[in-house]
Amino acid sequence: MGLRDLLRPRHDGALRALAFGILDRLRDDAPELTLDVGDRLDGRTCLVTGANRGLGLAIATELARRGGHVILACRSGIPEVLDVVRRQSGSSGTVEAMHLDLGDLDSVERFVDELAEDGACVDVVVLNAGVVPKEARRTKDGFDESFQVNFLADALLVTRMLERGVIANTVFAAPGSEPLDRDDLPDERRVPRIVVVSSESHRSARPIPFGRLGVFHRWSMRQAVAEYGLSKRLIETWSAELARRLRPHGEVEVAVHTACPGAVNTDIAREAPAFVKPALDATMRAFFKPTEAGARPVLHLAASRALEGRTGLYVHVTRTKPRCPKADDPEIGRRLWDAAARLLEGAGHPLLSRSTER
Ligand SMILES: NC(=O)c1ccc[n+]([C@@H]2O[C@H](COP(=O)([O-])OP(=O)(O)OC[C@H]3O[C@@H](n4cnc5c(N)ncnc54)[C@H](OP(=O)(O)O)[C@@H]3O)[C@@H](O)[C@H]2O)c1
């Protein structure tokens, strides 16, 4: 069997993704998005999921360097990551780490419970954790791992944080809870931000399969990139809907943005087959960006003062541009919102807020 046969059709999606990543990088000549010295986070609390390596580590480190109190939400790598972020960020901000496994919805509930019991008020949430499994894997909640980690668990995490007032807002207050008096908050805490680390692959994904959304099905390496793209389409569409819901009467209560960092040299392809791994690692090292550069669009959305009052932005590496029109469609957004709420309810995690009715 020649190399061509080995690579096709089993890995054509992955190869195309790799080629697009490199091309994207070579084509993009716009200046990098940077933060000003004045874009500080002193007094603000930031939370980053998947902060123990890759992009998440670079994002968390820079947020701490800019004075934020940073909560590292990690499935593994605590306490090593605490040490690394403290050392690399200097003494500017403060850092703590908490366990969070997005592949386990009970872990998400425990995580938010702990934040709420501590009275945490989070100003910047970066939903960064993501996975590209090499085959379908069922989580203990019964969902496909990429579907749950890259989409459904994020939906639960954010909604619960909003419901419990961990992210300050009035829209998602659970029935019976005290409405938040936003006038009591200091100015800089009034508009929290949620930034989702997404991917351009949301654009080429197949349409959302509403009829069998969340139904576990078998797939193998050949479909890995397509499944990943679909999970990013889901989180893009859901985030656009969240941005609409958090802007009642035109006033932004919580800003919601998404970003594709471009091709970044991380462990994202760690499950690639052993026979392509050495060549893949070498290609990523040579052509993909270091994590500090990959983190810039996300940091821009999370911390740039120039974006105050804006919501619903999608940044691809260096430019703000429209997301895929279907991901921006309010009717599809509303259907996905309802479908996600039903799936969570079926899994024993009903959403409590009135915001489920739009
Ligand atoms: N690298 C790229 O070129 C690229 C391009 C576009 C978008 N992205 C997106 O960027 C984000 C970060 O990925 P990366 O490139 O930095 O990859 P990475 O180095 O593999 O990091 C992924 C992070 O997600 C965490 N994670 C995975 N499953 C989890 C779970 N069940 N619960 C909690 N955390 C979990 C990992 O934790 P463990 O260490 O415990 O596994 C790790 O911290 C992802 O959303 C990815 O889709 C990356």
Side-chain angles (χ1 to χ4, degrees):
M1 193 188 287
L3 186 61
R4 253 185 122 112
D5 299 317
L6 267 175
L7 296 178
R8 208 182 39 179
R10 282 172 57 210
H11 308 296
D12 56 348
L15 286 176
R16 213 175 311 127
L18 188 67
F20 277 131
I22 295 171
L23 277 178
D24 235 24
R25 173 113 206 259
L26 298 175
R27 259 195 321 238
D28 195 348
D29 54 358
E32 297 259 15
L33 292 168
T34 49
L35 290 174
D36 292 336
V37 273
D39 292 325
R40 300 273 315 168
L41 292 154
D42 308 271
R44 293 195 179 197
T45 298
C46 311
L47 187 154
V48 183
T49 66
N52 56 308
R53 63 165 107 190
L55 279 160
L57 179 58
I59 293 163
T61 304
E62 187 58 27
L63 293 175
R65 202 174 278 138
R66 286 180 178 269
H69 171 69
V70 182
I71 302 170
L72 312 166
C74 306
R75 166 176 72 167
S76 67
I78 305 172
E80 295 85 345
V81 63
L82 263 176
D83 214 44
V84 173
V85 176
R86 281 190 182 130
R87 206 163 6 90
Q88 292 184 354
S89 62
S91 55
S92 211
T94 49
V95 189
E96 66 177 299
M98 290 172 66
H99 180 260
L100 172 67
D101 182 355
L102 295 164
D104 173 357
L105 296 177
D106 287 337
S107 167
V108 176
E109 299 280 14
R110 282 194 298 274
F111 179 79
V112 181
D113 280 348
E114 212 179 309
L115 286 172
E117 280 155 22
D118 287 354
C121 186
V122 178
D123 304 282
V124 174
V125 179
V126 180
L127 299 175
N128 161 77
V131 66
V132 188
K134 68 173 191 293
E135 63 201 351
R137 280 196 296 260
R138 202 192 290 263
T139 65
K140 87 184 240 300
D141 301 290
F143 298 108
D144 179 83
E145 186 183 353
S146 62
F147 176 83
Q148 180 165 328
V149 172
N150 298 350
F151 164 57
L152 194 65
D154 278 346
L156 178 63
L157 173 65
V158 166
T159 315
R160 279 285 186 266
M161 289 175 75
L162 291 161
E163 287 172 352
R164 305 285 298 273
V166 172
I167 303 172
N169 77 109
T170 61
V171 187
F172 277 68
S177 65
E178 281 292 306
L180 176 84
D181 188 352
R182 295 171 74 236
D183 290 339
D184 282 351
L185 292 171
D187 273 358
E188 71 277 10
R189 301 200 83 147
R190 292 221 182 132
V191 182
R193 294 187 193 182
I194 298 168
V195 183
V196 179
V197 183
S198 178
S199 164
E200 266 293 276
S201 66
H202 84 273
R203 218 174 276 287
S204 51
R206 65 184 184 277
I208 297 175
F210 279 107
R212 13 181 211 92
L213 195 70
V215 178
F216 183 80
H217 65 283
R218 294 260 156 234
W219 52 268
S220 57
M221 179 62 85
R222 191 190 311 178
Q223 287 96 29
V225 171
E227 293 299 320
Y228 173 76
L230 177 62
S231 70
K232 293 297 186 184
R233 168 73 70 90
L234 290 165
I235 195 65
E236 269 296 332
T237 308
W238 191 88
S239 303
E241 176 66 13
L242 180 66
R244 285 188 288 273
R245 285 174 189 244
L246 284 167
R247 195 183 187 177
H249 326 298
E251 190 198 356
V252 181
E253 288 230 344
V254 178
V256 184
H257 304 300
T258 57
C260 171
V264 189
N265 182 22
T266 67
D267 294 328
I268 193 76
R270 65 181 106 151
E271 292 194 35
F275 79 94
V276 292
K277 198 76 177 51
L280 185 62
D281 288 349
T283 309
M284 286 177 78
R285 266 198 309 277
F287 292 103
F288 283 23
K289 276 177 286 201
T291 53
E292 292 70 23
R296 281 182 197 136
V298 180
L299 290 163
H300 177 73
L301 290 170
S304 169
R305 280 179 175 261
L307 299 184
E308 288 297 344
R310 313 272 312 265
T311 191
L313 299 177
Y314 172 69
V315 169
H316 175 210
V317 192
T318 54
R319 298 164 213 262
T320 303
K321 61 187 199 189
R323 54 176 64 78
C324 154
K326 290 219 160 105
D328 242 346
D329 181 326
E331 198 37 54
I332 298 177
R334 184 213 302 255
R335 273 186 84 188
L336 180 61
W337 189 275
D338 292 344
R342 277 195 302 275
L343 287 174
L344 287 168
E345 181 160 16
H349 301 272
L351 302 185
L352 309 172
S353 53
R354 289 179 291 269
S355 63
T356 39
E357 305 133 28
R358 178 163 76 89

